[in-house]
């Protein structure tokens, strides 16, 4: 079984577990009992463990917010009967009064819990009235400190007690800048706590998955330094923080006294989801290379989300959320479109991205339609985002891992061919250990070679040259060996770039590098690209005449045959400066390089296409000019 296969099995297990838990909470207690044909009066029986109150809600709208409880009770009002489904009036600035008339149809006292299961209502006032007299009043909402609630719960929970044959009227005043929703349920206490435990476990599984995946990808980022992972970590962490804020967990556990930030956090973390998701999409799908128009669109979503995150601190929540929710939905659609396009373009990991983002988009659209009143409020619409986002982050995490596995597999396939000729031993375990060890060593050598090689010319790069210079300089100083440095510059290379283009210039650099290799004496001679069109030869245990002949041989190789490029055949020459001395404790590498560079510039001043030996005899700046060697 492959690593990807195991990962997919794990993803299916996690999503199935979440779905089963959700199904339990959705269907296990979903059927209300105790309906009365006269819906204006709710008769409560002792057998009613859970009553959903949507069908018994009557409401009036107080657009100006001037009505008091006494006004609502004393005067006749045009109460409207709530339609089927949760009371939901979307986003508006009105005050809403709800009324539920209840009757204890039993000969014993009943105690129930009234749950308003929407955590982001600004002001929730609940009044228990008997015969026009107020028995109890509870003033709650996320604009009040969490400790002021009658019960320690992320939702608004109120205890109500009916005496035998007691008729109570429940009045609820709602005022909020968020979506006006009031999912009302009457619970028998034991049943409520059992249901709430299941619900909390579901959220715990969700948050646990998010934290584990974020920590896992953070560790990968710390090891590999790949920016895709830190962007993914930011996205994964903003998602549960947003859902925790809108679900009341953040206010209960993280900032129970920061009422203003409680509203702002929803906007900031949702904006963070979009911003990090947009940046991750750009990098993961390589949109700048595959589809520039889509890349610009996703870039727009990124900057727009940052603006919305900042505006959360100075614009009213009501106006900000109305813009942010469709903006987030549009960003999800844009990201999904980018994934589909890249999938169409045969990008390997785009299919996993598209499937994952499709699950997230579906959950996000369901949540947006719920908050705007298009879909009813129920367990499915409330938690569709949790399931979709959990599925998405798991699949995206596996997609990132799959990309690493693919790159690793390509490297290992190359290594397997190199290891086919290794000797076999009788014990299989010893063979496997030996193969693993050799694979790691080969990989290390390849990585070292890549890090020390100039990718254009194939010669050593400046980093390798600096290290080799230091090592050879110290060794030559210790053993009193002569050390020679040759600096080579292609003549009039800027004109080549200007006249034939940079691609032709690159062809010249590659060909010159190959001819430099041909002109060397033995493997200990170190050729390196010094910078631009300059090259450097490090010749250990070589005196100035020997270094001069090497440089002259390279010059002739470059001069005698024109270079074939994409723009045609180009004649190229080079100038070189040579400096050779036995290092001493008072000399330095910089001095050697400076003397060779001075000789190089003297060669250019003398007409180019020649080799000059720089020699410090008393005065370090003294230059001895050697005529070009023919043949």
């Amino acid at each position: 079984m492959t690593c990807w296969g195991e990962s997919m099995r794990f993803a299916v297990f996690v999503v199935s577990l979440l779905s089963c838990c959700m199904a339990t909470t959705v269907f296990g207690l979903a059927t209300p009992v105790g309906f009365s044909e006269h819906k204006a009066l709710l008769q409560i029986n002792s057998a009613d463990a859970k009553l959903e109150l949507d069908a018994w809600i009557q409401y009036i709208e107080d657009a100006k917010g001037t009505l008091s409880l006494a006004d609502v009770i004393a005067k006749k009002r045009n109460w409207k009967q709530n339609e089927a489904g949760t009371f939901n009036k979307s986003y508006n600035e009105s005050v809403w009064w709800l009324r539920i008339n209840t009757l204890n149809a039993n000969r014993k006292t009943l105690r129930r819990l009234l749950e308003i299961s929407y955590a982001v209502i600004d002001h929730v006032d609940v009044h228990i009235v008997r015969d026009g007299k107020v028995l109890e009043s509870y003033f709650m909402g996320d604009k009040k400190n969490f400790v002021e609630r009658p019960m320690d719960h992320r939702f608004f929970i109120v205890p109500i007690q009916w005496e035998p044959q007691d008729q109570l009227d429940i009045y609820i005043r709602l005022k909020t800048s968020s979506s006006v929703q009031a999912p009302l349920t009457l619970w028998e206490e034991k049943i409520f706590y059992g249901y709430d435990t299941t619900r909390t476990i579901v959220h715990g599984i969700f948050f646990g998955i998010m934290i584990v995946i974020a920590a896992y990808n953070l560790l990968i980022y710390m090891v590999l330094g790949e920016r895709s992972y830190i962007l993914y970590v930011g996205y994964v962490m903003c998602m549960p923080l947003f859902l925790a804020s809108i679900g009341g967990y953040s206010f209960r556990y993280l900032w129970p006294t920061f009422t203003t930030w409680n509203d702002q956090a929803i906007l900031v973390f949702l904006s963070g989801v979009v911003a990090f998701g947009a940046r991750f999409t750009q990098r993961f799908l390589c949109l700048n290379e595959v589809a520039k128009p889509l890349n610009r669109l996703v870039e727009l979503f990124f900057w727009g989300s940052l603006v919305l995150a900042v505006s959360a601190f100075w614009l009213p929540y009501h106006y900000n959320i109305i813009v942010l929710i469709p903006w987030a939905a549009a960003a999800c659609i844009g990201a999904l479109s980018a994934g589909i396009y890249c999938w169409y373009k045969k990008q390997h990991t785009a299919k996993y991205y598209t499937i994952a983002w499709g699950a997230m988009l579906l959950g996000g659209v369901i949540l947006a339609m719920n908050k705007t009143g298009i879909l009813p409020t129920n367990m499915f619409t409330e938690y569709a985002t949790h399931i979709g986002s959990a599925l998405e982050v798991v699949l995206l995490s596996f997609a990132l891992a799959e990309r690493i596995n693919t790159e690793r597999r390509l490297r290992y396939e190359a290594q397997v061919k190199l290891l086919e000729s290794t000797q076999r031993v009788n014990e299989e375990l010893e063979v496997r250990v030996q193969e693993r060890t050799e694979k790691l060593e080969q990989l290390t050598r390849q990585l070292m070679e890549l890090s020390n090689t100039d990718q254009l010319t194939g010669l050593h790069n400046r980093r390798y040259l600096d290290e080799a210079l230091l090592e050879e300089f110290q060794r030559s100083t210790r053993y009193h060996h002569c050390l020679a440095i040759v600096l080579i510059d292609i003549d009039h290379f800027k004109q080549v770039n200007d006249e034939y283009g940079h691609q032709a210039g690159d062809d010249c650099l590659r060909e010159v590098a190959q001819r430099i290799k041909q002109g060397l004496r033995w493997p200990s001679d170190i050729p390196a690209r010094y910078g631009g069109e300059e090259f450097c030869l490090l010749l250990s245990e070589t005196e100035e005449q020997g270094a001069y002949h090497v440089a002259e041989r390279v010059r002739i190789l470059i001069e005698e045959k024109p270079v074939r490029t994409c723009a045609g055949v180009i004649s190229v020459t080079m100038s070189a400066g040579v400096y050779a001395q036995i290092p001493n404790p008072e000399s330095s590498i910089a001095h050697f390089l400076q003397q060779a560079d001075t000789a190089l510039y003297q060669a250019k001043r003398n007409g180019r296409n020649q080799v000059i030996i720089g020699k410090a005899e008393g005065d370090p700046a003294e230059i001895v000019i050697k005529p070009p060697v023919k043949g």
Side-chain angles (χ1 to χ4, degrees):
M1 182 67 68
T2 65
C3 178
W4 174 247
E6 292 291 345
S7 300
M8 286 301 299
R9 289 176 58 186
F10 175 71
V12 172
F13 168 75
V14 169
V15 175
S16 301
L17 180 59
L18 277 171
S19 302
C20 291
C21 292
M22 287 296 181
T24 302
T25 58
V26 171
F27 301 110
L29 295 168
T31 304
V33 295
F35 276 91
S36 170
E37 291 182 359
H38 187 262
K39 293 187 178 181
L41 181 64
L42 170 61
Q43 296 186 18
I44 305 173
N45 296 309
S46 58
D48 298 337
K50 175 188 177 185
L51 284 174
E52 294 179 355
L53 305 183
D54 305 328
W56 288 279
I57 295 176
Q58 296 175 317
Y59 66 92
I60 55 175
E61 180 180 7
D62 179 12
K64 297 181 179 180
T66 58
L67 295 179
S68 65
L69 176 62
D71 295 332
V72 173
I73 295 176
K75 299 179 182 180
K76 290 185 178 181
R77 301 287 173 183
N78 185 23
W79 291 91
K80 297 180 182 179
Q81 187 70 34
N82 184 48
E83 299 176 356
T86 300
F87 178 79
N88 188 336
K89 296 302 177 183
S90 189
Y91 294 92
N92 61 79
E93 298 181 353
S94 298
V95 173
W96 296 85
W97 285 91
L98 311 185
R99 181 179 71 180
I100 304 169
N101 300 322
T102 65
L103 172 66
N104 179 7
N106 299 271
R107 297 183 179 275
K108 63 179 182 178
T109 300
L110 290 180
R111 179 178 172 83
R112 293 290 185 269
L113 298 178
L114 173 65
E115 177 192 38
I116 306 174
S117 55
Y118 187 55
V120 290
I121 306 175
D122 291 348
H123 300 282
V124 183
D125 302 339
V126 179
H127 306 279
I128 312 301
V129 178
R130 178 190 294 134
D131 297 328
K133 181 180 178 181
V134 180
L135 302 180
E136 296 283 350
S137 292
Y138 303 94
F139 300 95
M140 302 170 290
D142 66 3
K143 292 300 183 185
K144 298 180 180 295
N145 290 340
F146 188 84
V147 295
E148 298 180 29
R149 299 187 182 187
M151 296 189 68
D152 180 15
H153 198 275
R154 63 191 180 96
F155 291 147
F156 306 108
I157 311 296
V158 172
I160 304 177
Q161 181 170 302
W162 289 262
E163 299 300 328
Q165 301 298 317
D166 192 10
Q167 182 171 337
L168 298 179
D169 298 326
I170 304 172
Y171 288 88
I172 303 174
R173 181 182 183 274
L174 302 177
K175 170 65 176 174
T176 184
S177 57
S178 61
S179 176
V180 179
Q181 296 188 43
L184 297 175
T185 309
L186 270 180
W187 292 91
E188 194 276 326
E189 280 192 70
K190 291 183 179 179
I191 299 299
F192 170 76
Y193 288 123
Y195 172 84
D196 193 56
T197 299
T198 302
R199 185 166 53 186
T200 302
I201 290 173
V202 171
H203 283 96
I205 294 173
F206 171 76
F207 293 132
I209 290 173
M210 292 295 193
I211 292 173
V212 169
I213 289 177
Y216 169 73
N217 286 278
L218 180 60
L219 289 174
I220 294 179
Y221 167 74
M222 294 172 65
V223 173
L224 300 181
E226 170 58 42
R227 284 180 58 193
S228 297
Y229 288 95
I230 196 65
L231 294 172
Y232 185 61
V233 169
Y235 170 77
V236 171
M237 289 308 299
C238 282
M239 176 61 71
L241 285 171
F242 163 67
L243 295 175
S245 298
I246 204 171
Y249 285 106
S250 297
F251 191 43
R252 182 183 183 189
Y253 295 111
L254 300 181
W255 44 78
T257 59
F258 295 91
T259 55
T260 301
W261 165 247
N262 190 50
D263 276 349
Q264 295 169 344
I266 297 174
L267 302 172
V268 171
F269 290 130
L270 181 55
S271 299
V273 169
V274 179
F276 279 111
R279 269 287 187 260
F280 173 77
T281 297
Q282 288 179 296
R283 193 167 184 87
F284 184 81
L285 296 179
C286 303
L287 285 184
N288 192 39
E289 302 173 6
V290 179
K292 290 187 180 295
L294 281 174
N295 184 65
R296 287 192 290 269
L297 176 64
V298 176
E299 183 79 9
L300 174 65
F301 284 124
F302 169 75
W303 289 110
S305 300
L306 292 185
V307 171
L308 289 171
V310 174
S311 67
F313 296 96
W314 55 275
L315 274 183
Y317 177 91
H318 172 73
Y319 300 108
N320 216 324
I321 195 67
I322 289 177
V323 175
L324 183 54
I325 287 181
W327 181 262
C332 289
I333 295 172
L336 181 63
S337 301
I340 293 173
Y341 180 81
C342 292
W343 191 354
Y344 171 75
K345 288 294 185 179
K346 309 297 184 184
Q347 193 180 89
H348 177 65
T349 53
K351 57 183 177 181
Y352 306 117
Y353 174 90
T354 304
I355 296 171
W357 208 264
M360 172 59 193
L361 176 63
L362 181 60
V365 169
I366 291 174
L367 177 65
M369 295 175 70
N370 167 247
K371 299 310 175 190
T372 54
I374 300 175
L375 290 179
T377 299
N378 52 47
M379 292 295 290
F380 174 72
T381 57
E382 284 292 315
Y383 294 103
T385 305
H386 293 68
I387 298 176
S389 58
L391 176 60
E392 183 211 23
V393 298
V394 170
L395 290 177
L396 284 180
S397 183
F398 290 148
L400 284 169
E402 174 66 9
R403 189 165 69 174
I404 293 178
N405 289 337
T406 300
E407 295 173 356
R408 183 183 300 171
R409 184 171 58 252
L410 292 175
R411 290 196 300 267
Y412 281 153
E413 286 175 357
Q415 295 301 317
V416 167
K417 295 179 181 179
L418 298 176
L419 296 173
E420 288 179 350
S421 60
T422 58
Q423 61 180 355
R424 303 288 191 272
V425 293
N426 294 330
E427 297 183 10
E428 184 178 354
L429 180 59
E430 185 178 350
V431 171
R432 291 181 179 179
V433 171
Q434 184 177 353
E435 289 178 354
R436 296 283 178 89
T437 302
E438 187 170 346
K439 286 180 182 180
L440 291 175
E441 291 175 351
Q442 291 285 347
L443 182 58
T444 301
R445 286 195 295 272
Q446 281 193 357
L447 291 175
M448 286 296 296
E449 183 178 347
L450 287 174
S451 67
N452 292 325
T453 302
D454 178 66
Q455 298 303 308
L456 176 63
T457 63
L459 301 181
H460 296 300
N461 58 21
R462 181 66 179 270
R463 173 176 172 272
Y464 181 86
L465 175 64
D466 290 341
E467 294 175 355
L469 268 171
L470 179 60
E471 181 179 349
E472 287 297 331
F473 192 85
Q474 292 174 344
R475 191 169 67 86
S476 298
T477 302
R478 183 183 304 115
Y479 297 109
H480 301 286
H481 291 162
C482 191
L483 178 65
I485 293 178
V486 180
L487 287 182
I488 297 172
D489 186 82
I490 301 176
D491 295 331
H492 303 295
F493 184 74
K494 184 177 183 301
Q495 294 180 9
V496 174
N497 278 335
D498 293 342
E499 182 175 352
Y500 299 100
H502 288 279
Q503 184 60 51
D506 289 346
D507 292 341
C508 285
L509 289 174
R510 280 189 286 266
E511 181 59 28
V512 166
Q514 293 304 313
R515 297 183 187 182
I516 287 174
K517 287 183 178 179
Q518 294 174 18
L520 298 180
R521 303 165 301 174
W522 42 67
S524 63
D525 293 345
I526 298 176
R529 188 180 180 187
Y530 193 65
E533 68 273 20
E534 289 191 63
F535 300 87
C536 180
L537 303 182
L538 177 59
L539 309 176
S540 61
E541 300 184 25
T542 303
E543 297 181 351
E544 62 181 27
Q545 288 302 319
Y548 174 81
H549 286 298
V550 171
E552 182 65 15
R553 184 163 54 247
V554 171
R555 186 192 67 78
I556 294 172
L557 285 171
I558 293 173
E559 179 189 24
E560 67 183 0
K561 185 178 180 181
V563 175
R564 293 185 179 275
T565 70
C566 61
V569 178
I570 302 173
S571 296
V572 177
T573 61
M574 54 145 272
S575 300
V578 176
Y579 184 72
Q581 283 292 332
I582 298 175
N584 57 65
E586 286 74 28
S587 59
S588 66
I589 297 174
H591 173 71
F592 272 61
L593 291 171
Q594 180 183 1
Q595 292 300 103
D597 191 55
T598 303
L600 170 62
Y601 276 95
Q602 185 64 47
K604 287 181 173 292
R605 286 193 295 268
N606 290 352
R608 293 183 170 83
N609 192 23
Q610 58 185 281
V611 179
I612 297 295
I613 297 179
K615 186 170 184 181
E617 295 178 352
D619 181 4
E622 180 183 348
I623 302 296
V624 177
I625 303 176
K626 297 292 184 179
V629 176
K630 300 299 183 178

